[in-house]
Amino acid sequence: MTQIDQHILSATSDLRQVLAALEHVSTKICLVVDADQRIMRTVTDGDVRRALLGGHDLDTPVSALGDRQPVTRAQGTRRAELLSALDERAIDVIVLTDPEGRPVGLADRAALTKTLLLSPPHMGDAEAGYVQLAFDENWIAPAGPNLTAFEDAMCYVSGRHHAVALTSGTAGLHLALRVLDIGVSDRVYVSDLTFAASVQPILYVGAEPVLIDADPESWNMSPAALARALARDNERGLLPKAVIVVHLYGQSADMDALVRLTEAYGVPIIEDAAESLGASYGNRPSGAHGLMSVYSFNGNKIITTSGGGALVSDQQDLVDRARKLATQGRDDAEHYQHSDLSYNYRMSNVLAGIGRGQLEVLNDRVAARRAIFLRYLDALSEVPGICFQSEVDGSIGNRWLTVISLDPDLISLHSYQLMRSLQARGIETRPAWKPMQMQPLLAGAAFEPHSPERAVSPGLFLTSLCLPSGSAMSIREQQGVITAIKEILVSEGQS
Ligand SMILES: Cc1ncc(COP(=O)(O)O)c(C=O)c1O
């Protein structure tokens, strides 16, 4: 029985049958059809109530309620048109019909106004239990058993010996710079194509960011640009104090090449693995290659603590120093004594409970996001001009977000137009990160392009779009995204 069949009643049905049918459908409306199955009218429980109050009993046939022209639209009517019809008539449901006037579906306001989000949180079964544990044990503090267990689990998944859980990934990057004593007049290299949080902490400590372009295939830090920048700045005596390497959208940067280059000049790498938890490079977790690494558990990430982060390293002294700076820098004394400028950056034991539960399902979340990516790849790579971010050799991305780029020589539609058309269909997409060199905040910052003739990241930004990638998205929902993209490209301008 299709869903619409459950709503359909013949004109001879009585009010008792109407009430019984209404109990079993989520959209509380019945459709009365004639002998040819064409829609005659709709009946709601309000209609039944009015009939009973008007003197009818439950044996009254629906035909006695009289005719009322239902609001119908042809199957396939656009979402925007359906919504404006609902608004115009101040109703919540429209009956969708085939060319013969037979009902084939219902368009209801709740479903039409629901937006498929880019990357919403996806809780497992254990999170609430760990949060309850924090309440039961009264560990409502930035310390406690959840926090310790979460940090231990973070060491395990990041392949590192030490971890400190924090209020955010941004805090982790800030602490990584402080731990390395980076400050005013120091220089820090950072990926140009990234979220602003990779760069803000460099400004917090008063250092100078140097923006390193993206590689055209991996979209991550270009080894060619890094090599050029290091060689030039070495000659000038202006080597950076650190290089922040971002693993964009969950795919690892080419760490062998980047580590080789930085080691040759004795410059440490801080991995901004905010987006790449659960990914791997060279058989080790993403985030296990630099001196220190930072993860984010922001609400949109592959796992979340609603907001949070972690700094990990194999060097205990670095993580201990970060932990001290994250807790107001309290010295080892009986009284409250502070020698270092420091912060209140520790994660709460309550939120660490969410993190414990989320880490238990990390592998499932990675598998789900990769499956989503593979379905997009399968369905959209047949469209000429749609390209995907690739994974460097020896790496497996977590595909936190699947991002497509539209080749302007083959697709005339701008990615923003595609984004707006998808939004009109209730599908959230986002442009790729706007490169740091294009940000007003960083006007005048030094930038090293991928090749002397070519900057890559602005082109990626202007042509790319992040697609819904949430691990709880159903295959049917994803199919809707794929169909919508194809329809929009056909109807609105594939050249
Ligand atoms: C690349 C990158 N770096 C850093 C961050 C900062 O993480 P948070 O939001 O936890 O501060 C994020 C995400 O928000 C990010 O995507």
Side-chain angles (χ1 to χ4, degrees):
M1 190 187 273
T2 64
Q3 238 184 330
I4 194 67
D5 288 340
Q6 294 177 316
H7 292 263
I8 291 178
L9 292 173
S10 73
T12 55
S13 309
D14 58 30
L15 298 186
R16 186 176 283 102
Q17 287 169 304
V18 172
L19 288 179
L22 284 171
E23 263 187 37
H24 293 103
V25 289
S26 54
T27 305
K28 298 294 176 196
I29 192 165
C30 282
L31 312 178
V32 182
V33 295
D34 65 17
D36 294 323
Q37 297 296 306
R38 282 190 297 255
I39 180 88
M40 292 168 66
R41 64 162 292 156
T42 57
V43 198
T44 64
D45 45 11
D47 295 322
V48 177
R49 202 164 62 96
R50 274 187 294 277
L52 296 178
L53 289 173
H56 291 289
D57 60 21
L58 288 172
D59 296 324
T60 307
V62 276
S63 54
L65 300 183
D67 279 352
R68 187 179 58 199
Q69 204 55 42
V71 181
T72 63
R73 289 289 182 279
Q75 186 181 25
T77 301
R78 289 271 174 95
R79 180 174 174 270
E81 209 179 301
L82 292 170
L83 278 171
S84 78
L86 288 173
D87 288 344
E88 224 169 79
R89 309 293 289 264
I91 52 174
D92 288 323
V93 186
I94 287 179
V95 182
L96 300 172
T97 56
D98 69 8
E100 276 75 47
R102 297 191 195 101
V104 288
L106 294 172
D108 75 278
R109 189 182 290 279
L112 286 170
T113 51
K114 194 175 148 216
T115 296
L116 179 64
L117 297 174
L118 191 72
S119 181
H122 183 184
M123 291 297 114
D125 297 331
E127 290 81 345
Y130 289 124
V131 170
Q132 187 60 48
L133 198 66
F135 277 76
D136 293 345
E137 297 177 339
N138 206 26
W139 275 109
I140 314 296
N146 278 339
L147 200 56
T148 310
F150 181 57
E151 288 178 345
D152 289 348
M154 275 308 299
C155 287
Y156 180 76
V157 297
S158 66
R160 298 290 206 165
H161 296 313
H162 306 281
V164 55
L166 304 163
T167 47
S168 70
T170 312
L173 290 168
H174 188 191
L175 291 176
L177 296 174
R178 284 293 320 276
V179 162
L180 294 176
D181 290 323
I182 294 173
V184 177
S185 81
D186 289 329
R187 310 175 88 224
V188 177
Y189 288 6
V190 59
S191 305
D192 180 50
L193 186 58
T194 186
F195 180 52
S198 308
V199 181
Q200 303 270 24
I202 303 174
L203 304 178
Y204 297 170
V205 298
E208 183 196 337
V210 177
L211 310 171
I212 309 293
D213 201 6
D215 172 271
E217 301 302 319
S218 74
W219 306 10
N220 276 305
M221 185 179 281
S222 155
L226 179 67
R228 214 175 320 105
L230 284 170
R232 188 200 49 231
D233 287 343
N234 185 42
E235 273 182 20
R236 298 195 298 163
L238 286 175
L239 277 177
K241 278 278 191 71
V243 179
I244 298 179
V245 175
V246 178
H247 303 301
L248 197 71
Y249 298 123
Q251 280 58 259
S252 176
D254 186 356
M255 289 310 287
D256 278 352
L258 300 178
V259 168
R260 212 177 309 120
L261 281 166
T262 51
E263 278 184 355
Y265 294 95
V267 180
I269 285 183
I270 300 166
E271 290 181 78
D272 181 346
E275 302 171 359
S276 67
L277 184 67
S280 68
Y281 177 88
N283 291 327
R284 297 197 67 205
S286 175
H289 300 84
L291 180 65
M292 282 177 272
S293 301
V294 170
Y295 299 96
S296 166
F297 311 112
N298 187 278
N300 63 2
K301 294 294 184 289
I302 192 153
I303 63 159
T304 182
T305 56
S306 83
L311 181 150
V312 299
S313 176
D314 288 329
Q315 287 196 23
Q316 183 167 4
D317 56 330
L318 300 178
V319 175
D320 283 350
R321 174 109 200 276
R323 186 177 282 109
K324 184 178 174 192
L325 290 174
T327 42
Q328 306 289 15
R330 194 170 162 193
D331 294 336
D332 198 7
E334 273 184 288
H335 44 261
Y336 288 98
Q337 178 176 298
H338 309 266
S339 307
D340 276 329
L341 173 68
S342 44
Y343 318 94
N344 183 5
Y345 277 170
R346 274 299 255 158
M347 180 183 277
S348 134
N349 185 62
V350 179
L351 298 189
I354 305 178
R356 274 180 91 176
Q358 285 273 274
L359 278 180
E360 289 177 12
V361 289
L362 175 63
N363 289 344
D364 297 344
R365 301 297 182 258
V366 174
R369 297 227 183 203
R370 283 196 65 81
I372 286 167
F373 161 68
L374 290 172
R375 283 194 290 271
Y376 279 132
L377 184 71
D378 188 45
L380 293 177
S381 34
E382 68 189 31
V383 180
I386 292 190
C387 314
F388 291 82
Q389 180 190 12
S390 56
E391 291 171 38
V392 293
D393 283 349
S395 74
I396 303 173
N398 68 11
R399 293 288 170 182
W400 168 55
L401 293 184
T402 293
V403 194
I404 53 169
S405 77
L406 309 180
D407 180 344
D409 292 335
L410 296 169
I411 298 175
S412 56
L413 200 71
H414 189 282
S415 57
Y416 278 34
Q417 291 170 288
L418 179 57
M419 175 174 72
R420 288 180 202 127
S421 299
L422 288 166
Q423 188 63 48
R425 294 176 182 222
I427 299 168
E428 182 188 38
T429 58
R430 290 275 169 85
W433 300 129
K434 183 175 181 180
M436 293 301 109
Q437 58 168 302
M438 297 171 79
Q439 300 288 351
L441 176 68
L442 291 152
F447 168 70
E448 189 66 43
H450 172 63
S451 73
E453 308 77 41
R454 183 180 175 209
V456 169
S457 56
L460 287 172
F461 160 61
L462 290 168
T463 58
S464 298
L465 202 61
C466 305
L467 303 183
S469 303
S471 44
M473 178 169 62
S474 68
I475 292 180
R476 198 179 154 157
E477 285 171 321
Q478 188 181 1
Q479 197 50 53
V481 179
I482 291 165
T483 306
I485 291 172
K486 288 181 173 172
E487 280 178 8
I488 292 164
L489 289 182
V490 169
S491 68
E492 296 180 31
Q494 189 168 0
S495 59

